[in-house]
Amino acid sequence: MTMTRLQPEDAGAGPTRAPTPAPATAAPAARAGAHPSPAQPTSLLNLLPSIGGPAPERADAARNRRKILDAAARIVAEQGPEAVTMNQVAHASGIGVGTVYRRFGDVSQLLWALLDDRERQFQEAYLSGPPPLGPGAPAAERLDAFLDALVDRVVEQRAILLAAQSAAPVARYTSGAYLAMHTHVALLVSQARPDTNAALLAHLLLAPFSPSLMHHLSEEQRLSTAELKAGVRQLLSFREHAEHTPSTPPSSP
């Protein structure tokens, strides 16, 4: 996965590549102790890390790539990543197995390409898609929409994300995908609540989306995505609701 600079959301452009990678510490919102200023949204987005799209290719090659990735995604969703083989993907996609090998090399590279592809689609949706996930809605509504979409994203890809987390437990926090999400959430928090430490709150808001926790809740606890989304909303409003709910006095003995 690569990190590239993005144009501001106001420009309506999706993720694009740039020659120079954005440093992980460049954006103020990427540091837990930083307080992003509400006057900085454009500069923050100029530094936003991005998942780069595939290199330019012929139309037929792009169609084959799409068929292969979609076939791999179906197999992962139905049987898990351990069920993916190059032969099975070739059969499911209708593409010759030689072409599948030439495009992706082996199963591990194919799975990483699939993860990168889904992350790029997700990033394009929250940066330049329709509101409320994309630009055009109030910050609080965009944050709710983002967290809902993140539940869908992590649950859908939980097996691959869990494998990646198991291989490198702390790499998540320095990946381009996480830095992009963190900067985006910090920006929305700073717009909705300018009096808070938006960078720290962004880390805490993303913490429940750890692949291991989401795998536990969805697989072992059998919670649906609707229940997970409702739980995130309840968690965010718990303190505010508790402060406005009169406490019941203890009953007399």
Side-chain angles (χ1 to χ4, degrees):
M1 294 184 181
T2 58
M3 291 190 298
T4 60
R5 296 182 188 273
L6 288 180
Q7 298 301 316
E9 285 183 271
D10 293 343
T16 56
R17 289 187 181 275
T20 306
T25 57
R31 299 194 302 271
H35 293 264
S37 166
Q40 293 180 307
T42 299
S43 60
L44 280 176
L45 286 167
N46 280 332
L47 296 171
L48 192 61
S50 170
I51 301 302
E57 54 190 348
R58 300 190 319 270
D60 59 337
R63 285 193 297 271
N64 285 345
R65 184 178 189 277
R66 179 79 273 142
K67 289 179 180 178
I68 293 169
L69 290 175
D70 288 346
R74 289 195 301 272
I75 295 170
V76 169
E78 294 169 3
Q79 305 175 51
E82 65 282 353
V84 176
T85 68
M86 302 299 263
N87 285 333
Q88 189 175 10
V89 170
H91 177 74
S93 64
I95 305 296
V97 67
T99 299
V100 176
Y101 272 104
R102 283 193 298 273
R103 292 303 304 267
F104 296 99
D106 57 29
V107 170
S108 64
Q109 293 182 60
L110 174 57
L111 291 176
W112 278 111
L114 176 61
L115 189 60
D116 184 90
D117 180 69
R118 290 297 188 263
E119 187 61 50
R120 181 174 53 83
Q121 292 177 21
F122 177 50
Q123 192 175 100
E124 288 174 349
Y126 70 74
L127 287 178
S128 57
L133 181 58
E141 290 183 22
R142 290 193 69 191
L143 183 58
D144 284 344
F146 175 84
L147 296 177
D148 281 352
L150 188 55
V151 170
D152 292 330
R153 156 99 180 109
V154 176
V155 169
E156 175 197 0
Q157 297 286 296
R158 61 185 178 274
I160 304 178
L161 291 167
L162 184 61
Q165 183 186 50
S166 299
V170 298
R172 173 180 185 238
Y173 303 104
T174 56
S175 69
Y178 183 85
L179 292 173
M181 290 189 296
H182 176 268
T183 305
H184 179 68
V185 171
L187 177 61
L188 294 179
V189 171
S190 71
Q191 291 174 344
R193 293 288 303 273
D195 58 328
T196 61
N197 183 340
L200 174 59
L201 291 182
H203 281 302
L204 297 178
L205 285 171
L206 292 172
F209 297 92
S210 162
S212 57
L213 177 58
M214 281 293 173
H215 184 272
H216 170 71
L217 294 175
S218 60
E219 286 293 301
E220 298 173 16
Q221 297 297 313
R222 300 295 181 185
L223 295 176
S224 67
T225 54
E227 290 173 310
L228 292 173
K229 291 175 185 179
V232 171
R233 297 288 179 86
Q234 290 169 4
L235 178 63
L236 293 179
S237 63
F238 177 78
R239 179 64 183 271
E240 181 180 355
H241 178 75
E243 289 177 346
H244 291 85
T245 302
S247 57
T248 304
S251 56
S252 301

